[in-house]
Amino acid sequence: MSGDLDWWRGAVIYQIYPRSFFDSNGDGDGDLPGVTSKMDYIASLGVDAIWLSPFFTSPMKDMGYDISDYRNVDPRFGTLTDVDVMIAAAHQRGIKVIIDQVLNHTSDQHPWFEESRRSRHNPKSDWYVWADPKMDGTVPNNWLSVFGGSSWQWDSRRRQYYLHNFLSSQPDLNFHNPEVVEQLLSDMTFWLERGVDGFRLDAIDFCYYDLHLRDNPSKLADEVVMVEELGVALGAGRENPYTYQHHLYDKTCPENLLFLAKVRKLMDKYPGVTTIGELGGDGALETMGQYTSGNDKLHMAYTFELVTPRNDVAYLRSTIEKTEIEIKDGWPCWTIGNHDCMRVATRWSSPAVDDQLRQERLRVYAVLLLTLRGSVCIYQGEELGLEEADLAYEDLVDPFGLAFWPEFKGRDGCRTPMPWRAEEELTAGFSPGGKSWLPLWQAHRADAVNVQEDNPESLLNAYRTFLRWRRGQKILLKGAITVHDACKNVLLFERSYEGKRLLVALNFSNQAETLAIPGTIESSVSELFLMRAEWGDHQVCLPPYGIGMAWLKR
């Protein structure tokens, strides 16, 4: 795949949250040498690339998504040399390296902001979004922060408000200023020259704002309820006032497209690199089509449509079909979990689920993710089936959870340390020092890497087996997708490429299902122990949480 400039189409990308992956020096924080030391494990999964959450210099008010130096490494993660060593180790194993790039905002401790806030007349005075108060001293408009409350923060030195779509310690950069855009492109060039293979662009739909500072319109009551039921955005229940608005003027502005074209122009100077955009909120699928179409903006993007509490077949089918309509000639990247949301093993469970079928249920989710048309992001620990950690309030560090506890417990539950060796006390092999920045969730010991490696029918080995097979199937990497009618509990879809047809049948219930299939079976994919379906010429019988894949006659 290394010689394929379009390697990212259909690629499987393994997301690493460095602080929780592996601690090499025993200080309780995962680090870059820890990632390097586990590169053989990553390679054994059969993934094409890794995506690392931010490791840049940061005061860690938002766990690294508040950057104070775009060109350096926070000491808790290592050094620039450690980055180089990690990239080399990955490339030696044929693994691409994608890093998080947080462009919308910086830390308030970034030198740019420290200079900008000193006065209204300095070289960086216009590098951030500043606005005068209303005549009565109140905020410029009704825009709200994702983390709750107004997105405007008063600064007594300038006697102005500054915009922050997230924490008040994360001021928004002013993309209407060409100097800011050029500086950010230069910072991206710095990492491209060090050998990274691409960027995951955090909150990329937030970059521009309405110059007229128009108020966002409010949502109707039923629209707020709908957002809460779907859980499209993290913390999107009615406990968060952010969900009460249509965010027409504080994000997804038309100017974003012009900026993305500049990013793509830079990327094209480095053949074979890629970009993944993170998109969320209302109309995210339509935005994904706009941002990835035309081969002149983002290479691919993901939304939160499958990072929801819903996994009923009707919703899954609707999401797949809407994506195909909106994406046009663009490219989707699918994910069912990441560092910002409840782990899928918990989120897509229910009290009615028979835990004896837990492994079968988790395999269904894996095969769904890995057979859709597009690229794929797997979050660390999904291959182990890790459940969401239920932490006590005193263990939390996430500002999101601290703000909305107990109705919303934040993101720490999906960020706890990776369990490597079940028998090791305290941190299950995460840290040789026996300590960790978040506590190990003790229930994760049973799913530790060494436990699953010794079990040929474990979820970890299921991922490895399926990913090895998938890598050689162009039909899954490049092929089209068509969803077929089936019963309430079964998602039935077909992948097609160069005259070949592959049928995928997934039973999302704990009841056996038998259904007719569109076409005649040529052969089933029986070499994968994941597959437990019984095929007839024109039907398939699926056990509870059963998976079936078969080649259809042309």
Side-chain angles (χ1 to χ4, degrees):
M1 182 169 285
S2 59
D4 181 6
L5 298 183
D6 280 345
W7 63 270
W8 50 271
R9 289 188 183 271
V12 176
I13 303 160
Y14 185 71
Q15 184 196 351
I16 294 173
Y17 195 76
R19 200 172 182 185
S20 296
F21 194 60
F22 182 67
D23 169 22
S24 70
N25 59 13
D27 66 357
D29 285 316
D31 46 45
L32 295 176
V35 175
T36 301
S37 70
K38 296 297 185 181
M39 202 63 73
D40 284 338
Y41 169 80
I42 296 166
S44 77
L45 296 175
V47 298
D48 304 298
I50 56 175
W51 146 31
L52 292 101
S53 290
F55 49 76
F56 308 106
T57 309
S58 168
M60 294 289 163
K61 298 286 183 64
D62 189 22
M63 305 303 111
Y65 284 87
D66 49 325
I67 295 170
S68 57
D69 187 345
Y70 280 102
R71 299 194 183 196
N72 213 338
V73 178
D74 195 275
R76 77 188 66 215
F77 295 122
T79 65
L80 282 171
T81 299
D82 292 328
V83 177
D84 297 337
V85 171
M86 179 195 65
I87 292 172
H91 287 173
Q92 287 169 4
R93 293 162 176 80
I95 299 170
K96 306 287 187 180
V97 178
I98 296 169
I99 64 172
D100 234 314
Q101 200 74 356
V102 187
L103 301 179
N104 171 71
H105 53 265
T106 70
S107 164
D108 61 356
Q109 297 181 32
H110 197 294
W112 301 343
F113 187 71
E114 291 177 341
E115 181 175 354
S116 184
R117 75 190 313 180
R118 287 191 191 121
S119 71
R120 299 192 187 193
H121 306 287
N122 66 68
K124 291 189 170 51
S125 62
D126 195 36
W127 276 45
Y128 292 82
V129 183
W130 295 95
D132 291 326
K134 292 181 179 179
M135 291 296 293
D136 61 358
T138 56
V139 294
N141 59 26
N142 71 346
W143 296 353
L144 296 173
S145 163
V146 174
F147 288 171
S150 173
S151 60
W152 296 101
Q153 179 68 31
W154 179 252
D155 186 88
S156 59
R157 278 157 286 194
R158 288 185 52 141
R159 299 177 188 174
Q160 287 181 304
Y161 287 96
Y162 66 83
L163 181 68
H164 62 92
N165 275 297
F166 297 92
L167 294 176
S168 61
S169 57
Q170 294 171 298
D172 276 37
L173 286 162
N174 180 15
F175 280 74
H176 291 288
N177 184 338
E179 291 181 358
V180 171
V181 171
E182 291 307 311
Q183 179 62 54
L184 292 174
L185 293 175
S186 176
D187 290 333
M188 295 175 75
T189 301
F190 172 84
W191 292 104
L192 290 168
E193 290 292 331
R194 292 197 90 91
V196 304
D197 302 292
F199 301 98
R200 179 264 189 183
L201 300 175
D202 179 71
I204 197 60
D205 46 352
F206 281 88
C207 292
Y208 284 83
Y209 67 97
D210 175 49
L211 286 170
H212 301 289
L213 301 183
R214 285 172 285 185
D215 281 351
N216 283 326
S218 61
K219 287 181 178 175
L220 300 175
D222 58 346
E223 292 177 308
V224 177
V225 172
M226 185 188 311
V227 170
E228 182 173 47
E229 290 176 348
L230 292 179
V232 172
L234 181 68
R238 279 173 283 184
E239 73 275 4
N240 188 344
Y242 187 81
T243 64
Y244 287 66
Q245 293 182 354
H246 286 293
H247 293 274
L248 297 185
Y249 299 119
D250 54 353
K251 63 178 294 191
T252 324
C253 295
E255 295 91 339
N256 280 355
L257 295 171
L258 300 177
F259 171 66
L260 294 178
K262 292 181 179 180
V263 171
R264 184 56 174 265
K265 189 175 181 179
L266 171 62
M267 298 298 108
D268 288 345
K269 295 179 182 178
Y270 297 84
V273 302
T274 194
T275 51
I276 311 169
E278 178 200 34
L279 306 173
D282 300 340
L285 291 178
E286 179 183 1
T287 303
M288 181 166 63
Q290 294 172 350
Y291 283 21
T292 65
S293 64
N295 201 36
D296 60 352
K297 296 177 284 294
L298 294 176
H299 295 80
M300 51 185 162
Y302 74 84
T303 72
F304 289 83
E305 255 64 20
L306 294 188
V307 187
T308 72
R310 288 192 63 179
N311 71 330
D312 57 277
V313 170
Y315 177 73
L316 294 174
R317 175 173 183 169
S318 173
T319 298
I320 295 167
E321 292 179 333
K322 286 180 182 177
T323 299
E324 287 299 302
I325 291 170
E326 298 291 354
I327 199 68
K328 302 178 179 65
D329 63 341
W331 193 256
C333 184
W334 294 97
T335 182
I336 57 175
N338 63 24
H339 65 291
D340 277 337
C341 62
M342 181 183 291
R343 285 194 174 274
V344 68
T346 301
R347 178 167 29 89
W348 281 2
S349 182
S350 72
V353 168
D354 183 350
D355 199 53
Q356 291 183 346
L357 297 174
R358 176 175 179 268
Q359 291 294 315
E360 286 80 357
R361 177 169 56 86
L362 296 178
R363 286 173 181 149
V364 171
Y365 305 161
V367 175
L368 167 70
L369 180 65
L370 295 168
T371 53
L372 294 175
R373 189 182 81 89
S375 302
V376 170
C377 286
I378 298 172
Y379 179 49
Q380 67 180 47
E382 276 178 20
E383 76 277 17
L384 305 178
L386 298 186
E387 305 273 351
E388 181 83 353
D390 189 10
L391 302 180
Y393 179 80
E394 54 267 25
D395 291 325
L396 299 188
V397 296
D398 178 22
F400 210 176
L402 292 169
F404 290 105
W405 177 278
E407 288 77 15
F408 173 63
K409 296 183 178 181
R411 302 165 294 182
D412 290 325
C414 67
R415 298 176 175 181
T416 55
M418 189 80 167
W420 293 97
R421 293 183 296 277
E423 67 279 5
E424 292 204 9
E425 295 183 6
L426 301 178
T427 67
F430 164 73
S431 171
K435 55 185 178 180
S436 55
W437 73 286
L438 281 175
L440 176 80
W441 183 238
Q442 293 301 318
H444 287 171
R445 288 184 183 276
D447 294 320
V449 171
N450 70 329
V451 173
Q452 298 204 35
E453 285 187 325
D454 293 337
N455 177 6
E457 294 201 0
S458 69
L459 185 66
L460 171 60
N461 284 316
Y463 266 90
R464 287 171 168 168
T465 299
F466 195 81
L467 283 170
R468 282 195 298 268
W469 178 80
R470 180 187 184 277
R471 179 171 270 181
Q473 307 302 319
K474 286 188 177 180
I475 196 169
L476 292 179
L477 304 181
K478 313 290 185 183
I481 187 169
T482 303
V483 184
H484 294 293
D485 291 334
C487 61
K488 175 183 177 182
N489 295 322
V490 175
L491 183 65
L492 186 68
F493 58 92
E494 178 182 332
R495 300 297 307 275
S496 55
Y497 185 72
E498 294 182 340
K500 292 186 176 181
R501 300 173 64 197
L502 179 66
L503 190 66
V504 180
L506 304 173
N507 184 359
F508 281 81
S509 78
N510 57 5
Q511 304 294 321
E513 298 284 358
T514 299
L515 63 150
I517 58 174
T520 304
I521 297 299
E522 186 173 87
S523 62
S524 64
V525 184
S526 57
E527 65 266 32
L528 301 179
F529 70 84
L530 287 165
M531 308 300 139
R532 307 187 191 280
E534 296 181 6
W535 295 93
D537 288 339
H538 299 287
Q539 71 175 26
V540 60
C541 300
L542 298 168
Y545 298 107
I547 300 165
M549 292 176 60
W551 298 101
L552 296 177
K553 291 183 179 179
R554 303 186 190 189

